[in-house]
C-alpha cells in the first residue's frame, strides 16, 4: 500500500469559520457562565476528560441503553477478568502519534462503522460512536439509530463530517463546555492557523502532541482498532477466547513508549450495565420466593388440614423480603412475570417435600438481601456519575473571577504567580 499523506485533523472551512467567529461569538464578559445560546452558537467541540462518569452521562443522553463505562486500572489478565461481561469496547487515551499507514485497511470494510475525526476535540464522541455503532444488540435510541442508518453508506471522512454537523451529538458533547473551554479552543485554532502560515514544518514537536481517544472493538469475528485520526480501521486479527486480551498488547505497546514515571494515558471499558442483570436476577428471585411460598402454603393445607390464613407460610423468610414490584429497586411486575424460574425451584414446585422447599425459600431470602444491596450500590454509582457530570457542567468562571479579585485586594496575586512560575 502506498504511503498516504498525513490526514488533516480539521477542514480548512472549519478552521476559517472558527477563526473569524472568535471576536463575535462571546461579546459579554468571558468570566460569565456559558449559556445554552452560547453553546448552540459556538462552532467547535470542547475537550472532555477521561472521566467514566462523563462518558456514562453522554451515552445515556445519546439514548444508548444498558451500557456502562468503567475505568480499566490494569491490563493484567487477572484484573481484566473482573470486568463485567460482555465488554463491548475499549477506549484508550494517549498522546497521539501517527502509526504506519500500511497497517490500515485499504478501505473501510463492509459492515464496519468507522468515522474519522474531522473536527478538533470531537474524539470523545467519535470514539464512543465508533464502538456503539458496531454492536448490533445495543439499543441506540431513536436519534443515534437514524444517524447510523443515514451514514451507513458514507466514507469514514463523510461520517466524521456528519458527526461535526449533527446538532444532537454536538449539543450533548458541548453540554460540558464552559466559557473558557470554548475561548481556549478557538484561540488554539487561531494559533494553529497562524503557526502554519509561518512554518512549513511537516510534523509538530513531540511535546505539542495532543491527547486523543481511540477505540478497540470486536466486530464480525475480528478485533479492530478504530482511530479517528487514521484514514481507515486497523485489523488486529481474528477473535480467539477473549478479545480484550488480544487488544491489550496493542495498548501496552503504546504505553511502553512513555518514559518511566510518566502516566499520560487512561483506559476505559464499555461493558453491559450491571444494574440490568441485577434487576433481572432480583425479578427471578422474587418470582421464586412467591412461587415457593404459595406451594408451601398449599402443601401445609393439604397435609395438615390447615386453612391458608392460618398456615405457617409467613415464617419462611424475612418479613421485609420483596414479593412484588418495587420502584426503589427498579423492579416492575412485567420483569417478574417474564422471569424464568431456576431448575431447582421448578423441581421443588413439583415435590411434596415441605422441608426441602422451606430450605430453598430460606436460600432465596438470603440471596435477595445480597442482590438488593448490590442494586443499591449500582444506583448510588449512577447518582454519583450524575453528580460529577453536573459539577463538570457547572461553569465556575464567575467564582474563579471573584476569588482572583479577592486575592488581588489582599495583595496575594504576585505571591501565587511567583509560586506558579517556580513550580
Amino acid at each position: 500500500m502506498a504511503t498516504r499523506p498525513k490526514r488533516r485533523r480539521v477542514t480548512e472551512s472549519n478552521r476559517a469559520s472558527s477563526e473569524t467567529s472568535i471576536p463575535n461569538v462571546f461579546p459579554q464578559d468571558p468570566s460569565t457562565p456559558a449559556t445554552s445560546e452560547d453553546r448552540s452558537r459556538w462552532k467547535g467541540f470542547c475537550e472532555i476528560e477521561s472521566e467514566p462518569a462523563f462518558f456514562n452521562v453522554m451515552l445515556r443522553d445519546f439514548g444508548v441503553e444498558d451500557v456502562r463505562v468503567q475505568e480499566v486500572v490494569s491490563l493484567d489478565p487477572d484484573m481484566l477478568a473482573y470486568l463485567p461481561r460482555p465488554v463491548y469496547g475499549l477506549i484508550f487515551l494517549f498522546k497521539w502519534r501517527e502509526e504506519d499507514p500500511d497497517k490500515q485497511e485499504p478501505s473501510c470494510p463492509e459492515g464496519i462503522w468507522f468515522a474519522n475525526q474531522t473536527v478538533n476535540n470531537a474524539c470523545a464522541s467519535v470514539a464512543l460512536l465508533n464502538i456503539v455503532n458496531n454492536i448490533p444488540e445495543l439499543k441506540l435510541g431513536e436519534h443515534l439509530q437514524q444517524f447510523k442508518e443515514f451514514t451507513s453508506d458514507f466514507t469514514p471522512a463523510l461520517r466524521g463530517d456528519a458527526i461535526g454537523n449533527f446538532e444532537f451529538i454536538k449539543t450533548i458533547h458541548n453540554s460540558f463546555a464552559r466559557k473558557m473551554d470554548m475561548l481556549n479552543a478557538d484561540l488554539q485554532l487561531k494559533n494553529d492557523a497562524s503557526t502554519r502560515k509561518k512554518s512549513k514544518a511537516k510534523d509538530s514537536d513531540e511535546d505539542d502532541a495532543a491527547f486523543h481517544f481511540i477505540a478497540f472493538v470486536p466486530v464480525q469475528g475480528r478485533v479492530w482498532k478504530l482511530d479517528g485520526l487514521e484514514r481507515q480501521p486497523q485489523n488486529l486479527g481474528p477473535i480467539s477466547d477473549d478479545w480484550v486480551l488480544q487488544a491489550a498488547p496493542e495498548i501496552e505497546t503504546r504505553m511502553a513508549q512513555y518514559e518511566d514515571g510518566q502516566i499520560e494515558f487512561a483506559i476505559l471499558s464499555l461493558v453491559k450495565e450491571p444494574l440490568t442483570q441485577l434487576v433481572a436476577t432480583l425479578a427471578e428471585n422474587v418470582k421464586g420466593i412467591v412461587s415457593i411460598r404459595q406451594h408451601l402454603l398449599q402443601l401445609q393445607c393439604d397435609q395438615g388440614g390447615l386453612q391458608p390464613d392460618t398456615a405457617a407460610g409467613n415464617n419462611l423468610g424475612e418479613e421485609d423480603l420483596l414479593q412484588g414490584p418495587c420502584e426503589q429497586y427498579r423492579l416492575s411486575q412485567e420483569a417478574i412475570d417474564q422471569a424464568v424460574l431456576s431448575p431447582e425451584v421448578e423441581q421443588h414446585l413439583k415435590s411434596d417435600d415441605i422441608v426441602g422447599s422451606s430450605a430453598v425459600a430460606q436460600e432465596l431470602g438470603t440471596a435477595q438481601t445480597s442482590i438488593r444491596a448490590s442494586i443499591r450500590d449500582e444506583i448510588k454509582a449512577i447518582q454519583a456519575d450524575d453528580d460529577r457530570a453536573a459539577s463538570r457542567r457547572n461553569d465556575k468562571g464567575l467564582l474563579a473571577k471573584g476569588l482572583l479579585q479577592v486575592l488581588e485586594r489582599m495583595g496575594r496575586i504576585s505571591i501565587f504567580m511567583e509560586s506558579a512560575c517556580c513550580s
Side-chain angles (χ1 to χ4, degrees):
M1 183 191 304
T3 301
R4 303 185 183 94
K6 189 172 182 178
R7 178 177 179 77
R8 293 181 298 177
R9 298 193 187 185
V10 182
T11 62
E12 294 302 324
S13 60
N14 284 335
R15 291 189 187 277
S17 173
S18 298
E19 189 172 347
T20 57
S21 64
I22 290 175
N24 302 315
V25 174
F26 311 117
Q28 67 272 45
D29 184 350
S31 67
T32 59
T35 65
S36 298
E37 184 180 358
D38 290 335
R39 296 188 179 101
S40 176
R41 189 166 54 237
W42 189 47
K43 303 300 182 183
F45 278 67
C46 70
E47 288 187 346
I48 295 181
E49 301 91 322
S50 59
E51 166 58 60
F54 304 161
F55 285 76
N56 281 321
V57 171
M58 286 176 65
L59 285 170
R60 199 182 318 148
D61 291 347
F62 284 158
V64 182
E65 299 181 16
D66 296 338
V67 174
R68 183 164 182 80
V69 179
Q70 295 186 348
E71 186 173 9
V72 178
V73 297
S74 172
L75 291 175
D76 180 83
D78 292 336
M79 295 296 293
L80 291 175
Y82 285 100
L83 286 176
R85 270 17 185 208
V87 179
Y88 297 126
L90 297 175
I91 295 178
F92 181 44
L93 172 70
F94 68 110
K95 273 193 173 182
W96 188 79
R97 298 175 182 174
E98 186 176 27
E99 275 202 311
D100 183 358
D102 290 340
K103 294 182 179 180
Q104 303 169 29
E105 295 295 295
S107 61
C108 188
E110 185 176 354
I112 306 293
W113 197 98
F114 170 63
N116 293 141
Q117 179 189 336
T118 61
V119 181
N120 269 10
N121 298 328
C123 57
S125 288
V126 171
L128 286 175
L129 294 177
N130 276 339
I131 293 177
V132 299
N133 282 337
N134 283 299
I135 310 299
E137 62 266 31
L138 286 185
K139 296 179 180 179
L140 300 179
E142 178 183 1
H143 295 286
L144 276 196
Q145 185 63 43
Q146 291 177 354
F147 179 76
K148 177 182 176 181
E149 294 170 359
F150 175 72
T151 58
S152 61
D153 295 328
F154 285 16
T155 64
L158 286 178
R159 287 181 185 140
D161 289 340
I163 291 174
N165 292 318
F166 191 14
E167 284 299 320
F168 174 73
I169 292 175
K170 183 169 170 283
T171 298
I172 293 171
H173 183 112
N174 282 341
S175 65
F176 291 95
R178 298 164 296 200
K179 182 68 68 64
M180 292 308 298
D181 295 331
M182 294 186 277
L183 290 171
N184 286 333
D186 285 343
L187 180 61
Q188 182 63 49
L189 283 178
K190 184 176 182 180
N191 290 339
D192 287 348
S194 176
T195 300
R196 282 195 303 275
K197 291 177 181 178
K198 296 177 181 178
S199 174
K200 299 295 184 180
K202 184 176 182 180
D203 295 320
S204 62
D205 189 275
E206 181 85 7
D207 293 336
D208 295 331
F211 283 96
H212 177 61
F213 293 105
I214 65 174
F216 295 86
V217 62
V219 189
Q220 298 182 339
R222 294 182 173 272
V223 183
W224 297 88
K225 186 189 79 170
L226 304 180
D227 182 346
L229 293 182
E230 294 181 347
R231 290 180 179 272
Q232 302 296 344
Q234 181 178 335
N235 183 356
L236 300 182
I239 297 175
S240 56
D241 294 335
D242 188 341
W243 79 266
V244 176
L245 296 179
Q246 292 176 252
E250 176 72 18
I251 298 175
E252 289 173 329
T253 299
R254 295 272 187 161
M255 292 165 59
Q257 297 174 356
Y258 295 98
E259 298 179 3
D260 292 340
Q262 284 186 317
I263 305 177
E264 296 180 305
F265 49 81
I267 309 170
L268 305 176
S269 62
L270 269 72
V271 301
K272 186 175 181 63
E273 171 61 76
L275 182 60
T276 304
Q277 183 57 49
L278 285 170
V279 173
T281 302
L282 180 60
E284 177 189 336
N285 176 278
V286 169
K287 188 172 185 177
I289 287 176
V290 171
S291 300
I292 285 288
R293 284 191 166 186
Q294 290 176 345
H295 180 61
L296 282 168
L297 285 170
Q298 189 61 52
L299 286 178
Q300 289 172 329
C301 293
D302 292 345
Q303 297 181 16
L306 299 176
Q307 296 300 315
D309 58 347
T310 61
N314 286 334
N315 295 323
L316 298 175
E318 296 293 336
E319 290 303 316
D320 64 347
L321 288 180
L322 293 180
Q323 299 185 58
C326 180
E327 184 176 350
Q328 177 187 356
Y329 292 97
R330 306 190 180 186
L331 179 64
S332 66
Q333 185 61 52
E334 180 182 7
I336 296 173
D337 294 339
Q338 293 178 352
V340 178
L341 296 175
S342 69
E344 182 183 16
V345 172
E346 290 280 12
Q347 179 181 353
H348 280 279
L349 292 178
K350 300 175 183 177
S351 169
D352 295 336
D353 181 7
I354 293 181
V355 175
S357 295
S358 298
V360 171
Q362 294 288 355
E363 292 172 1
L364 289 172
T366 301
Q368 187 184 116
T369 301
S370 176
I371 296 168
R372 287 165 62 182
S374 297
I375 290 177
R376 289 194 297 271
D377 289 342
E378 288 299 325
I379 292 175
K380 288 179 181 177
I382 293 173
Q383 184 59 54
D385 285 348
D386 290 341
D387 293 343
R388 289 192 188 96
S391 177
R392 175 62 173 80
R393 285 167 165 167
N394 182 16
D395 196 335
K396 301 180 179 65
L398 280 177
L399 178 62
K401 179 182 179 181
L403 178 60
L404 290 173
Q405 288 174 337
V406 170
L407 292 173
E408 183 180 20
R409 287 196 296 269
M410 295 172 60
R412 308 288 292 181
I413 285 289
S414 59
I415 297 176
F416 279 99
M417 291 289 289
E418 292 174 3
S419 175
C421 292
C422 295
S423 61

